[in-house]
Amino acid sequence: MTQIGTSAHPLRVAVIGAGPAGFYAAGHLLKQSDLVIQVDLYDRLPTPHGLVRAGVAPDHQKIKNVIRVYDKIADHPNFRFFGNVDIGVHVSLEDLKAHYHQICFSTGAQVDRSLGIPGEDLQGCHSATAFVAWYNGHPDYRDLTFDLSHERIAIVGVGNVAVDIARILSKSVDELARTDIADHALEVLRESKVRALFMLGRRGPAQAAFTNPEARELGELEQATTLVRPDEAALDPLSLADLEANPDRTTQTKLELIQGFVREADEDKPRKLHLRFLVSPTEIYGDGSGHVAGIRLVKNELYRAENGTLRPRSTDQFEDLPVGLVFRSVGYRGVALPGLPFHERWGVILNEAGRVVEAQGTPVTGLYTSGWIKRGPTGVIGTNKACSVETVEGMLEDFRAGRLLSPTAPEPESAEGMIHARQPDVVSFNEWKKLDALEVAKGEPDQRPRVKFVRVEEMLGALDRG
Ligand code: NAP
């Protein structure tokens, strides 16, 4: 009988999505010293690193140092990268099943959640995901346009993505010009007329989703004063009771930071960033020509839900906030993959601890998931490590129990041949390293970390393809 997991017959695994979750899954698989495992990592883009490249804010370069960890994983002789290969377009699930014993989907959460209120389709109402991907040079978003000639902008949501957007819109071009922000975004930001930003939180300061380092940065902006109204910084009785019952240092620090924003604006700074709490948008209203003119807000109060959490409930007090642009930043959402069971409301692949399951809970042999498409869009980059390790442990357990797919062509050359036949413009890890070096070299004259290629054709051109 063929012994899988040996050098004669390695365990062949495909990981789909080369973001943090995909790399951590590959890394944990390749760490197994008692088994020979070969990992092929696929990505839809010619470039790896997912949200580290296209999501992490350009002024947070240090966070991107995690790429060194991914490069070490990629150095393993049993690792291969197939970039510019879209699963579902170039290669089907059936193709993968013909070539691998196990397949792990780590495709992230690619779209945004909507608010479900009137006016979201007006011109000037954008998703955070699109704006973030645009300023980070994601090829799919390169040609979007954002009109920053408006002085007043609302950002719905007070998570870290909303903070990233507020910071990018608050900083000067001089500050951003030293980052790897996409050149097309820098040009638009150079002409920005933005003077007032409103970040809108539906619950109170104690429930703000942003983390403390991010809040602290808001207090240190060179070009903008972050401001909070005293009535909205004050703690409501329910949050106060919770904090007294459970004096949690992180929340206390967050509240101190927020209360520090109750102050006068620094008139030497051209921009004001208003952090609002206990307000929910009920409608985005237009100017009569199809463009956003403002956002109608209802004042909320908090109540204790059955599960003990504090939830927002609207009162009868409304307010109109005139703004020219709205960004909704209320969380990302995963996209269903052809042939995989999907939970529409949660936006995740149906799974139990990373094992893909049918609606009735029956595991689907050989299929796994990790990262945001497994657990939803929560946590920081490092959270994906534990998430992928959990999935891989399940994969190893299934391997030991003999629960594997039965590929008809498990040889690595066979998968490679199939991919090249389907997508001649597949990009290898060495080719990505060439692109990487070119980007870094382009940034050097201006002391930038890199200048990104923002079109797939440009990347292929730089590799002398086509
Ligand atoms: P998030 O942290 O889940 O925040 C979403 C925000 O939207 C919350 O304030 C939420 O309020 C609000 N919201 C949801 N539905 C709403 C509605 N219908 N109306 C009004 N507000 C609504 O999501 P995110 O900012 O997209 O971030 C995703 C993950 O990436 C998070 O784990 C985040 O920490 C992480 N991230 C980290 C960094 C970093 O480390 N620097 C940077 C970016 C992102 P409720 O709390 O009331 O639901």
Side-chain angles (χ1 to χ4, degrees):
M1 209 183 94
T2 310
Q3 180 70 38
I4 311 282
T6 57
S7 25
H9 301 286
L11 176 69
R12 301 264 308 129
V13 182
V15 178
I16 317 303
F23 266 103
Y24 290 127
H28 197 60
L29 284 160
L30 293 170
K31 231 167 77 177
Q32 305 306 311
S33 51
D34 55 336
L35 281 178
V36 182
I37 303 182
Q38 293 178 334
V39 177
D40 288 349
L41 181 63
Y42 288 78
D43 204 280
R44 207 161 67 74
L45 291 179
T47 53
H49 304 149
L51 279 187
V52 175
R53 181 177 169 96
V56 171
D59 60 340
H60 278 177
Q61 285 300 315
K62 276 197 192 142
I63 296 181
K64 302 191 188 205
N65 289 341
V66 69
I67 286 171
R68 292 184 201 143
V69 174
Y70 308 152
D71 278 350
K72 279 221 174 83
I73 295 169
D75 274 346
H76 195 289
N78 286 355
F79 172 95
R80 299 190 299 185
F81 173 66
F82 294 110
N84 206 24
V85 180
D86 200 344
I87 304 301
V89 175
H90 302 112
V91 172
S92 70
L93 182 57
E94 291 315 307
D95 293 328
L96 293 176
K97 285 181 179 171
H99 293 279
Y100 299 95
H101 298 103
Q102 296 183 322
I103 306 160
C104 179
F105 293 88
S106 309
T107 48
Q110 290 152 30
V111 297
D112 74 307
R113 292 183 44 224
S114 62
L115 294 166
I117 58 170
E120 276 185 272
D121 51 352
L122 286 170
Q123 258 179 54
C125 177
H126 302 284
S127 77
T129 45
F131 188 59
V132 168
W134 173 78
Y135 67 60
N136 274 321
H138 189 301
D140 289 358
Y141 299 84
R142 163 66 186 88
D143 294 320
L144 296 187
T145 53
F146 296 93
D147 176 5
L148 300 184
S149 67
H150 300 277
E151 289 197 3
R152 294 163 61 88
I153 291 188
I155 305 167
V156 183
V158 287
N160 279 337
V161 171
V163 173
D164 282 350
I165 292 180
R167 235 183 26 255
I168 295 300
L169 290 169
S170 297
K171 286 197 168 183
S172 68
V173 166
D174 285 348
E175 290 173 278
L176 295 172
R178 295 273 175 269
T179 74
D180 64 356
I181 193 166
D183 279 349
H184 56 257
L186 204 55
E187 288 319 304
V188 175
L189 286 160
R190 196 181 295 285
E191 304 301 322
S192 165
K193 299 277 186 295
V194 176
R195 290 291 171 268
L197 292 128
F198 300 85
M199 273 177 68
L200 307 173
R202 64 177 170 179
R203 296 191 285 163
Q207 294 81 31
F210 51 66
T211 42
N212 289 345
E214 277 63 30
R216 199 165 283 118
E217 257 185 293
L218 289 183
E220 294 163 358
L221 293 170
E222 278 179 26
Q223 298 289 312
T225 319
T226 299
L227 299 164
V228 179
R229 291 162 34 160
D231 58 322
E232 291 183 353
L235 216 52
D236 65 286
L238 290 174
S239 301
L240 193 59
D242 281 0
L243 206 57
E244 277 170 3
N246 174 21
D248 143 43
R249 192 62 219 139
T250 308
T251 310
Q252 277 166 348
T253 304
K254 181 175 293 177
L255 290 170
E256 282 160 23
L257 286 165
I258 290 171
Q259 270 141 16
F261 300 149
V262 179
R263 57 184 172 179
E264 296 294 315
D266 180 342
E267 294 307 331
D268 290 336
K269 298 187 178 180
R271 292 177 174 138
K272 294 188 183 70
L273 169 56
H274 302 270
L275 204 45
R276 299 283 314 266
F277 292 106
L278 287 168
V279 286
S280 276
T282 58
E283 181 189 347
I284 299 164
Y285 54 88
D287 60 0
S289 72
H291 197 282
V292 169
I295 184 161
R296 182 153 302 142
L297 303 175
V298 65
K299 184 91 192 150
N300 292 332
E301 59 186 14
L302 295 181
Y303 72 97
R304 196 172 297 284
E306 269 176 23
N307 64 4
T309 58
L310 298 184
R311 304 299 313 156
R313 168 165 73 196
S314 45
T315 66
D316 56 3
Q317 294 169 51
F318 289 84
E319 134 189 23
D320 282 352
L321 183 69
V323 289
L325 280 187
V326 173
F327 291 99
R328 50 170 193 268
S329 182
V330 296
Y332 286 61
R333 248 188 83 77
V335 180
L337 287 124
L340 287 179
F342 196 72
H343 194 296
E344 275 304 330
R345 199 159 56 82
W346 300 346
V348 297
I349 294 174
L350 275 181
N351 75 94
E352 274 169 24
R355 285 186 178 93
V356 175
V357 296
E358 298 291 359
Q360 324 79 279
T362 323
V364 182
T365 305
L367 303 193
Y368 303 86
T369 178
S370 80
W372 277 8
I373 194 70
K374 164 187 169 186
R375 68 175 199 280
T378 58
V380 292
I381 291 168
T383 317
N384 294 297
K385 184 166 182 184
C387 179
S388 292
V389 166
E390 179 191 55
T391 299
V392 170
E393 287 299 322
M395 294 168 78
L396 296 171
E397 205 177 291
D398 288 353
F399 159 75
R400 287 184 209 106
R403 286 191 294 268
L404 294 176
L405 292 165
S406 311
T408 47
E411 310 73 29
E413 316 76 59
S414 172
E416 194 171 7
M418 179 268 299
I419 296 160
H420 280 268
R422 302 292 175 73
Q423 169 52 313
D425 284 328
V426 51
V427 172
S428 68
F429 205 75
N430 277 342
E431 287 176 312
W432 149 245
K433 291 308 278 179
K434 272 188 212 159
L435 292 175
D436 182 36
L438 288 170
E439 288 189 344
V440 170
K442 266 205 282 178
E444 269 162 13
D446 299 314
Q447 289 146 37
R448 300 179 65 183
R450 68 177 64 239
V451 174
K452 286 180 188 170
F453 291 106
V454 294
R455 293 192 192 278
V456 172
E457 309 85 77
E458 278 177 19
M459 298 178 199
L460 297 178
L463 294 171
D464 290 331
R465 297 286 186 79

